[in-house]
Amino acid sequence: MTAAPATPLVSVNPADPSDVVTEIAAPGAPAAAEAVERARAAQPGWARAGAAARSSALGAIASSVESAAGELAALAVRETGKPLAEARAEVARTAAIWRYYAQAPYEAAGTVHETAAGAGLLLTRRRPHGVAGLITPWNFPFAIPSWKAAPALAVGNTVVLKPAPEATACALRLAELVQAALPDGVFTVVPGGATEGGAVVSAADVVSFTGSTAAGDAVARAATARGVPVQAETGGLNAAIVLPDADIGRAAAHIAAALAGYAGQKCTATSRVIAVGTALGPLREALAEVLRALPVGDPADPATVCGPLISGRARDRFDRALTGAPVLAAGSAADGPGWYAAPTVAEKVPDGHPLLTEEVFAPVAALLPADDLQHAVRISNAVPYGLVTSVHTAGLEAVLQGLDDLDTGMIRVNGPSTGADFHVPFGGTKASGHGPREQGRAVLDFYTSSRTYTLAP
């Protein structure tokens, strides 16, 4: 019987879709399962190598990323349409992530407790799960795989990474840098789509996912059914709340950057702008002014803020999302062959409109009025998601009164909703996330299991 031909994986430049970045054959589910088994065979040796070996390897990866910074940034621009300034920042952040987790092997791996009675020792110890299966998106092709892989490796797991097809070249290049510092089988990239991702989830010992809500729900169900620890970061419909005492110009600049930076293709992008009381009029004018001046165009230009969307399908989704939503202001849409969209703010959006219920993942937001802070909080909370909220105000009294009522995992005051510090927990509530938080020291617990030892004399 003749085997079916392998499915091709084609990645193209969003700014010029005729530019094929990479084209390879998808390996299929059996190859993905075999990669997990090779990683499982390599895991005991990696865990036994000790803290010094693991720390040294992660530090070497950080140095390799720094040495290749220019090349990596250019590749992210070409394959994912990320504006050059953001691509450079992502690469710098990627190196910092590896260097941060290079210290984690030396973290305390447990605690000692007093026994309830008599002599002996009672202690806990964290141990690696085995193989970490990582499913990552295209929008942060270096940072997200790194902030999942680095802590998993630091505590003694091996890693199998299944990247998004749109970021295949970035993942393979990152793998070259990582694998050069590690023993064989400790870090493997399995390119592909849902077939390969499903095979990794079905075989790994711990699973971390970032992507769409539908895919994340499926991953969480599959892993949970196997009794495998799983975390899934699945997007947001984030709000920016602007109070009357805010610096309106500064707030508008932050909001515009958060809705249009990287064409709104971040899970932390601002999708709803809630103007409280008398802030509405000035904010309308300020947002319109900032959007019209926002640099839109070639992502390779260091001045560009808003580049192309990742695909023609993404641009179609953007167009559909504006149906029935009166446009308050829009920036420019760049000329050329790429999948560009004009940064847009809509107003008087009717209840139930997709802009108020769905994550569009494009440079668009709805402007909504609120009577007071409590009303604004209710509007912010009235969506299935709960990732991040930004609050803009000149004083802390109102913020402190309302912050605890926001049901989002992260709250940013007087700054854009976008951005995250990798040394603190990252994640959301409701449909924005499943399982424990990512990043920081907290994620080390996720990538390990706690064992209790009782030692009697």
Side-chain angles (χ1 to χ4, degrees):
M1 183 175 179
T2 304
T7 303
L9 281 176
V10 182
S11 174
V12 302
N13 181 348
D16 180 6
S18 66
D19 175 22
V20 177
V21 180
T22 189
E23 183 173 0
I24 63 174
E34 289 171 9
V36 173
E37 290 310 308
R38 289 195 301 273
R40 184 165 288 119
Q43 191 272 327
W46 174 244
R48 287 195 297 264
R54 294 199 300 273
S55 177
S56 177
L58 269 60
I61 293 168
S63 296
S64 295
V65 170
E66 289 170 337
S67 296
E71 171 205 346
L72 296 177
L75 182 57
V77 170
R78 183 182 174 209
E79 187 171 36
T80 70
K82 175 163 284 195
L84 180 58
E86 289 208 28
R88 288 170 172 165
E90 181 186 348
V91 173
R93 180 183 181 188
T94 298
I97 288 167
W98 286 101
R99 203 171 302 286
Y100 173 75
Y101 284 110
Q103 303 308 308
Y106 292 108
E107 290 278 315
T111 57
V112 178
H113 302 263
E114 291 290 337
T115 60
L121 281 176
L122 185 61
L123 56 91
T124 63
R125 189 181 185 196
R126 292 188 290 109
R127 305 304 299 152
H129 292 293
V131 180
L134 312 181
I135 314 295
T136 59
W138 49 263
N139 59 336
F140 287 87
F142 301 121
I144 292 182
S146 294
W147 82 48
K148 293 178 185 293
L153 292 167
V155 294
N157 297 283
T158 50
V159 165
V160 176
L161 167 66
K162 205 298 290 181
E166 297 89 342
T168 298
C170 288
L172 293 175
R173 183 65 184 109
L174 178 64
E176 291 175 350
L177 299 176
V178 174
Q179 289 168 345
L182 299 174
D184 290 344
V186 171
F187 182 92
T188 305
V189 169
V190 177
T195 297
E196 290 76 13
V200 171
V201 171
S202 296
D205 303 307
V206 58
V207 175
S208 183
F209 169 92
T210 298
S212 72
T213 300
D217 287 348
V219 166
R221 286 195 302 271
T224 301
R226 295 178 52 227
V228 169
V230 58
Q231 60 181 191
E233 194 277 292
T234 52
L237 194 60
N238 310 302
I241 297 175
V242 183
L243 296 171
D245 65 349
D247 181 329
I248 298 297
R250 182 183 178 206
H254 285 155
I255 291 167
L259 79 87
Y262 197 8
Q265 297 173 123
K266 303 176 185 179
C267 61
T268 54
T270 295
S271 301
R272 297 171 298 143
V273 183
I274 305 170
V276 177
T278 56
L280 179 60
L283 185 61
R284 288 178 80 254
E285 296 178 8
L287 272 175
E289 182 179 351
V290 174
L291 281 185
R292 293 187 187 107
L294 199 78
V296 180
D298 182 1
D301 183 341
T304 294
V305 172
C306 182
L309 292 167
I310 191 65
S311 66
R313 183 172 56 184
R315 188 172 62 183
D316 291 343
R317 185 170 61 244
F318 167 82
D319 292 337
R320 290 194 303 271
L322 287 175
T323 302
V327 171
L328 163 64
S332 60
D335 294 329
W339 294 304
Y340 292 96
T344 303
V345 172
E347 63 177 346
K348 300 178 181 177
V349 179
D351 291 343
H353 191 278
L355 287 179
L356 304 182
T357 59
E358 302 172 11
E359 184 182 37
V360 181
F361 223 57
V364 59
L367 177 63
L368 307 168
D371 298 330
D372 51 31
L373 178 59
Q374 289 71 32
H375 186 202
V377 169
R378 290 197 300 272
I379 295 172
S380 177
N381 291 346
V383 294
Y385 300 94
L387 185 57
V388 59
T389 304
S390 66
V391 181
H392 304 265
T393 179
L396 285 178
E397 181 178 355
V399 172
L400 294 175
Q401 289 175 352
L403 286 185
D404 287 343
D405 294 327
L406 289 166
D407 57 3
T408 53
M410 297 176 290
I411 299 166
R412 296 172 65 86
V413 179
N414 292 329
S417 61
T418 50
D421 296 299
F422 56 80
H423 58 289
V424 294
F426 176 95
T429 63
K430 301 188 289 188
S432 288
H434 173 95
R437 295 289 191 256
E438 292 197 90
Q439 303 192 61
R441 259 30 188 185
V443 77
L444 301 178
D445 289 332
F446 170 70
Y447 284 116
T448 54
S449 61
S450 178
R451 299 180 184 178
T452 301
Y453 297 79
T454 304
L455 284 70

